[in-house]
Amino acid sequence: LSKGFRTNGSSMELGECIQNTGFHEDDETEDAVGGDEENRTSTVKMSPGREEDTYTQIKPYAGMPKEVLLLYSVQARYRLPREILFWLTIVCTLALVALTITVIVMSPRCLSWWQSSPVYQIYPRSFKDSDSDGIGDLKGILDKLDHFQYLNIKAIWISPFYKSPMKDFGYDVEDFRDIDPLFGSMQDFDDLLAAMHDKGLKLIMDFIPNHTSDTHQWFNLSSSGHAQYKDYYIWANCNTTHAPNNWVSVFGNSSWTYVEERQQCYYHQFLKEQPDLNFRNPHVRREMTEILRFWLEKGVDGFRMDAVKHILEAKHLRDEPQVDPQQDPDTIDTEFELHHDYTTTQLGLHDILQAWRGEMDVYSREPGRYRFMVAESYDYEETDKTMMYYGTPYVKESDFPFNFYLMDLPTNLTGTGAQGLVNLWMANMPVGKWPNWVVGNHDKPRISSSVGQEYIKVINMLLLTLPGTPTTYYGEEIGMMNINVTIDEIQDPFGKFNPVSNASRDPQRSPMQWSDGPNSGFSDANHTWLPLHPHHTTVNVEAQQKDSGSVLSQYRALSLLRQAQLPLHRGWMCYIWSDADVFAFLREIDGLDKAFLVVLNFGADSVINLSAITELPEQLTLHMSTKQENYGMPVIKSSIATARGEGLLLEYSTHMRFNPGHASQCFVSEKACYLGVLDILYKC
Ligand code: GLC
Ligand code: MG
C-alpha cells in the first residue's frame, strides 16, 4: 500500500477518480479497498503485486486519469486501431495535398474578363443623350447599362470623353484629367464606373498618348518657348513656305504647321489641332504615365491605346521614300504616297508600351482587378508589325492588338475569302496568344452597309464562334447601317478635308437606334448631332427584342452560348471547308464528346458534302440557324445546305477528335482539355 497507486513511475491520488460517478470497481477491487465509504474516497488498499490486475479490471469511463488510460492504450486491441487511424490520417492528408498541387499544376489559366466577354465599343456622342442637347453623354450610358446585361457583355470600351475642343470629337484632348462638359462631370464618370462595377461590367477607356489638342496648356507653354515645356512637342526649323521635310499627315497635307510666336514648325500626324507629343523627352513620358495612374487609381479596368504606331518618329527628320519615285514631290499630300519608314513603328515604341503594361500590372494584383490593354495599329499587310504588340514570351505588352483584317470582308466576300482573312491572324499570331476580331469601329464604314444587310447575322455568327474575343461596335448587334451625310452636313474634320473621297467618318457615327419613338429613343432634343438612319423605325433594340429571329436576339443567343459551351470558348478551331460560298470550321476540345461545326455562307445558296471528314458523325444536330425557318432541320453531313447569308451552328457528339490528326488545319491558342471523371479542365 505504501506504493499506493504508483504505476509506470507516475503517481496519482485515487480520490480524484473515486469521486467520479463513472468510476466503478469490480468485486475484487472492492475487497482490496477498505470497507468504509470515507476510506474509499481517499485510499485504495491492495496487496503489492496486484496493482496491474486492479487497473485492468476498471471499466473505461470519460475523464479517466492518464495512468489508467495508459494501461488500456498499450493493449493491442486499442493500440492497433489507433495506429491504423494515425497513419491513415497522415496518408490522406498527404494525398489531399498532392491532389491539390496536381490539380493546380494541371489547370489551365482561368479566362480573364476580357477573354470571356465580347468587347463592346460605345461612341459616347451617339449612344444615349440624357440632357436633351442632341449629343450622347455619360449619364446616357448609365441609363442603358441593362442593354449589356441583356447581351451578356461585360467589357465596355468608351471612346474618349476627356475635356476637348472636339476638333476630332474627343481625340484631341485639352485636359487628360477632366471630363468634357458635353459628356458630363467627373462625378458623372465616378457614378458610371461605380454602377458598372456594381453590375459586374468593366470599363475600358481610350488612352491617347500620341498627341494633345493645340489648346492643351502644355502646347501653349511649348509654343511660347517656356523652358520646361519647350521640348514637350516636336519642333523643327522651317518657314512659311518650306516644311522641314516631306512628311504628311494621316488626315492629309503636310504634317508640319508653322507657329509665328516660336518661328518654328510643330509636327502633327493627324490634324494641325493635334500636335504630336515628344516621347523622346522623359518628362513627357512621365506625365503620360501619371495620367495612366490617375485613371487606374480611379478603378478603370483597361485602356485602348490610340494610334500607337505614331508615338515615335525618327530624330533625323529625313524625307520618307515615295511609293512612286517618279511622282512630283510637290503633289504628295496623302499618307498612301509615302513609305512611313521614319514616322511609324520606330525603335523604342514597344519599350514605352511595355513600361505602361508594367504600370497596369501593378494595379492588376488585386484579385479580379486585371487591367486590360488593347493596342490600335493599322499595319495592313505587315502582320508582323501588328503582332509585336502582343509582346514577347518574356515581356508582356498589350493583351492583344486589334485585329482589323475582317474589315476587308466586303472585298473578300466568299467562303475562301473569309477563311483567308481569319487565317491571316491565326497563322501569324504568336503561339499561346489570344485572338480577337473586329468588323467595325468609329473610323470605318459599317460592315452591314458594305457587305449588305443580308450578311450581318452570318458575320455576327462568325465573330462569336471564332476562338478569341469578338469586338462589337455599337449598333452592330442590331444591324445598324451607315447614314447618308451630304457634303454641307459633314461634321468629321477628316471628311471636311476631303469631302469627295468619302473620308468622312460621320456615316458610321449616327445615333444608336433604341426604339421607334422620336429620335429612336436616343434623345429628346429637336435636333441630334447627326441624323438618325431612316430605317430606325424598324431596325431598333425594342423591336428586335420582341423578335426571336432578329439580329439582336441571335447576337444574344450566340453570346450566351459562347460562354456556356466549353468548345466555343476554350476549344480549338479547325478549318473544315471553304469555297466560293461557304466557310466551315469546327470547335472541339479534347476529352469532351460534344463539338460544334460552324457553317457560314458568304455567297449564294449552297450544299456541301462533308462525307470525307470521317471524324464527323453521319448526322448532326442543328443548334442554331440565322434563318429562323430552318430551326430544327435535321442535318446529314453529306448534304449541308445553306442559303445566301445563312449561318449554321451544328452540334455533334464524337469520340474522334479532328485535331491533332489534321494539325495543319487547326489552331490552338491556350490549350486546355477536359477530364470528364473529375469534371475539370486541364493543361494538355
Ligand atoms: C485613332 C482614332 C481616330 C482618331 C485618331 C487620332 O485612329 O481611332 O478616330 O481620329 O486616332 O487620334
Ligand atoms: Mg447630351
Side-chain angles (χ1 to χ4, degrees):
L1 186 65
S2 63
K3 281 190 185 168
F5 274 83
R6 185 161 291 278
T7 56
N8 295 338
S10 60
S11 66
M12 68 167 287
E13 296 292 333
L14 188 62
E16 281 174 41
C17 53
I18 289 176
Q19 276 168 347
N20 191 312
T21 51
F23 181 73
H24 297 287
E25 294 165 341
D26 61 18
D27 294 341
E28 265 190 66
T29 315
E30 206 145 47
D31 290 347
V33 175
D36 81 69
E37 274 301 306
E38 274 174 330
N39 275 349
R40 292 183 69 194
T41 61
S42 55
T43 51
V44 175
K45 296 187 170 88
M46 59 189 281
S47 50
R50 288 197 61 209
E51 39 188 37
E52 292 230 337
D53 282 357
T54 308
Y55 283 121
T56 47
Q57 284 162 33
I58 295 172
K59 289 190 185 131
Y61 70 98
M64 247 182 159
K66 198 164 88 194
E67 286 75 6
V68 187
L69 268 174
L70 281 171
L71 274 180
Y72 283 105
S73 70
V74 292
Q75 292 173 14
R77 65 182 160 138
Y78 292 112
R79 206 193 65 230
L80 257 177
R82 193 180 63 229
E83 284 181 3
I84 291 172
L85 271 176
F86 171 78
W87 287 112
L88 213 65
T89 312
I90 299 285
V91 169
C92 287
T93 311
L94 288 177
L96 252 168
V97 170
L99 190 74
T100 311
I101 293 173
T102 317
V103 167
I104 291 172
V105 171
M106 277 172 62
S107 300
R109 271 190 302 152
C110 288
L111 291 189
S112 190
W113 56 267
W114 54 272
Q115 295 171 300
S116 55
S117 158
V119 171
Y120 187 98
Q121 182 191 355
I122 291 179
Y123 196 65
R125 291 181 76 84
S126 305
F127 197 61
K128 169 75 181 157
D129 173 23
S130 74
D131 60 358
S132 311
D133 63 355
I135 300 174
D137 41 57
L138 296 182
K139 275 193 176 145
I141 299 174
L142 181 72
D143 289 348
K144 289 295 184 185
L145 292 184
D146 287 349
H147 187 54
F148 305 115
Q149 297 200 299
Y150 175 78
L151 291 174
N152 190 38
I153 284 178
K154 307 252 169 331
I156 323 288
W157 154 35
I158 310 180
S159 284
F161 42 81
Y162 304 102
K163 188 162 195 300
S164 161
M166 301 291 163
K167 292 287 189 236
D168 190 17
F169 294 127
Y171 281 97
D172 47 326
V173 181
E174 184 176 305
D175 186 346
F176 287 106
R177 288 187 175 83
D178 204 358
I179 308 289
D180 197 274
L182 202 61
F183 295 125
S185 62
M186 192 55 92
Q187 188 58 51
D188 294 337
F189 170 81
D190 293 339
D191 292 347
L192 175 63
L193 184 61
M196 286 179 69
H197 284 172
D198 272 357
K199 290 179 187 284
L201 304 173
K202 304 287 185 177
L203 180 96
I204 303 163
M205 276 180 75
D206 240 292
F207 186 64
I208 307 158
N210 180 64
H211 46 264
T212 69
S213 159
D214 61 347
T215 59
H216 196 291
Q217 58 160 337
W218 297 339
F219 189 69
N220 292 333
L221 293 164
S222 196
S223 299
S224 61
H226 186 289
Q228 193 189 330
Y229 293 96
K230 68 180 179 12
D231 294 328
Y232 264 45
Y233 295 84
I234 296 159
W235 294 94
N237 292 332
C238 69
N239 58 42
T240 43
T241 50
H242 280 90
N245 58 27
N246 73 344
W247 297 357
V248 288
S249 146
V250 173
F251 288 160
N253 288 339
S254 170
S255 51
W256 296 96
T257 293
Y258 181 72
V259 170
E260 185 62 47
E261 190 181 6
R262 212 174 133 143
Q263 310 237 319
Q264 275 189 314
C265 283
Y266 68 89
Y267 177 68
H268 51 89
Q269 300 242 24
F270 294 91
L271 295 175
K272 71 173 176 23
E273 292 87 357
Q274 293 168 298
D276 268 46
L277 283 164
N278 175 15
F279 271 88
R280 300 195 188 275
N281 180 344
H283 297 293
V284 169
R285 288 171 67 158
R286 206 200 54 233
E287 296 260 23
M288 293 311 283
T289 304
E290 275 166 15
I291 288 159
L292 206 62
R293 285 195 200 124
F294 172 84
W295 294 102
L296 288 167
E297 288 284 344
K298 278 192 168 283
V300 165
D301 301 287
F303 294 99
R304 174 245 188 204
M305 300 294 188
D306 179 77
V308 284
K309 71 173 182 181
H310 300 283
I311 283 180
L312 289 173
E313 25 305 292
K315 277 195 283 190
H316 55 61
L317 304 186
R318 285 205 287 271
D319 276 358
E320 287 192 322
Q322 296 181 193
V323 171
D324 172 9
Q326 310 307 323
Q327 188 179 351
D328 173 2
D330 290 337
T331 64
I332 289 178
D333 60 1
T334 73
E335 62 163 337
F336 302 104
E337 290 159 303
L338 294 176
H339 292 294
H340 300 290
D341 295 356
Y342 306 140
T343 55
T344 64
T345 325
Q346 297 297 292
L347 203 66
L349 159 65
H350 292 284
D351 297 333
I352 296 174
L353 287 166
Q354 285 163 10
W356 286 334
R357 170 79 260 173
E359 287 296 327
M360 292 171 66
D361 282 348
V362 172
Y363 291 84
S364 298
R365 291 192 193 125
E366 283 166 71
R369 294 311 313 275
Y370 183 78
R371 314 296 174 113
F372 160 74
M373 184 199 282
V374 50
E376 182 222 24
S377 179
Y378 288 90
D379 301 296
Y380 305 101
E381 66 279 2
E382 293 177 285
T383 32
D384 48 337
K385 283 193 178 166
T386 305
M387 299 303 168
M388 294 284 283
Y389 296 97
Y390 271 119
T392 70
Y394 309 103
V395 192
K396 241 176 96 186
E397 204 169 310
S398 68
D399 293 292
F400 51 71
F402 273 137
N403 167 7
F404 296 124
Y405 293 127
L406 288 183
M407 285 180 165
D408 290 336
L409 264 177
T411 48
N412 292 273
L413 204 61
T414 61
T416 314
Q419 177 175 321
L421 297 176
V422 167
N423 197 43
L424 210 49
W425 194 266
M426 296 311 285
N428 289 296
M429 186 180 73
V431 176
K433 294 296 180 183
W434 187 257
N436 76 100
W437 311 97
V438 181
V439 291
N441 62 30
H442 62 296
D443 292 327
K444 301 289 170 190
R446 285 194 179 271
I447 193 95
S448 50
S449 293
S450 30
V451 297
Q453 219 185 5
E454 63 210 295
Y455 291 107
I456 188 68
K457 287 182 183 172
V458 74
I459 287 173
N460 280 339
M461 188 178 266
L462 172 71
L463 285 186
L464 287 148
T465 55
L466 282 171
T469 301
T471 303
T472 293
Y473 180 52
Y474 82 96
E476 278 169 7
E477 75 277 31
I478 53 170
M480 266 174 69
M481 299 180 83
N482 290 340
I483 52 163
N484 287 324
V485 178
T486 61
I487 289 188
D488 332 311
E489 286 171 339
I490 292 180
Q491 305 274 335
D492 178 24
F494 188 28
K496 284 182 185 161
F497 163 76
N498 207 347
V500 283
S501 78
N502 284 340
S504 169
R505 296 166 294 176
D506 294 336
Q508 59 265 27
R509 297 176 176 179
S510 68
M512 177 69 179
Q513 296 155 203
W514 293 105
S515 70
D516 62 0
N519 292 328
S520 201
F522 162 71
S523 167
D524 296 335
N526 295 330
H527 181 79
T528 55
W529 81 282
L530 278 174
L532 278 135
H533 195 289
H535 74 180
H536 73 82
T537 47
T538 50
V539 178
N540 62 63
V541 173
E542 209 174 273
Q544 293 198 6
Q545 276 179 345
K546 293 179 196 141
D547 170 4
S548 63
S550 65
V551 185
L552 183 71
S553 298
Q554 294 199 348
Y555 184 103
R556 176 169 189 258
L558 284 165
S559 168
L560 289 165
L561 210 63
R562 183 180 172 275
Q563 195 187 28
Q565 299 292 347
L566 204 51
L568 289 181
H569 75 268
R570 296 293 303 239
W572 48 76
M573 176 200 57
C574 302
Y575 301 136
I576 291 297
W577 181 276
S578 78
D579 62 21
D581 307 305
V582 168
F583 170 36
F585 57 89
L586 58 80
R587 301 295 311 277
E588 60 176 17
I589 188 163
D590 229 350
L592 197 69
D593 293 344
K594 189 197 270 186
F596 290 91
L597 176 70
V598 186
V599 184
L600 308 169
N601 184 313
F602 294 98
D605 296 3
S606 135
V607 179
I608 58 169
N609 180 353
L610 298 183
S611 301
I613 317 282
T614 49
E615 291 82 358
L616 290 177
E618 287 310 310
Q619 189 165 331
L620 301 95
T621 314
L622 183 70
H623 201 104
M624 182 174 166
S625 159
T626 57
K627 298 234 185 264
Q628 217 181 358
E629 60 267 27
N630 289 342
Y631 276 12
M633 188 183 68
V635 180
I636 312 294
K637 79 166 168 181
S638 58
S639 167
I640 302 182
T642 46
R644 169 189 295 273
E646 181 174 12
L648 302 179
L649 186 63
L650 301 158
E651 192 185 313
Y652 63 95
S653 176
T654 178
H655 298 293
M656 274 194 293
R657 232 61 63 191
F658 192 75
N659 185 44
H662 307 266
S664 64
Q665 283 165 257
C666 299
F667 290 99
V668 182
S669 27
E670 285 195 308
K671 201 170 176 196
C673 299
Y674 180 73
L675 194 61
V677 196
L678 292 180
D679 191 24
I680 55 160
L681 275 181
Y682 68 98
K683 280 185 214 145
C684 40

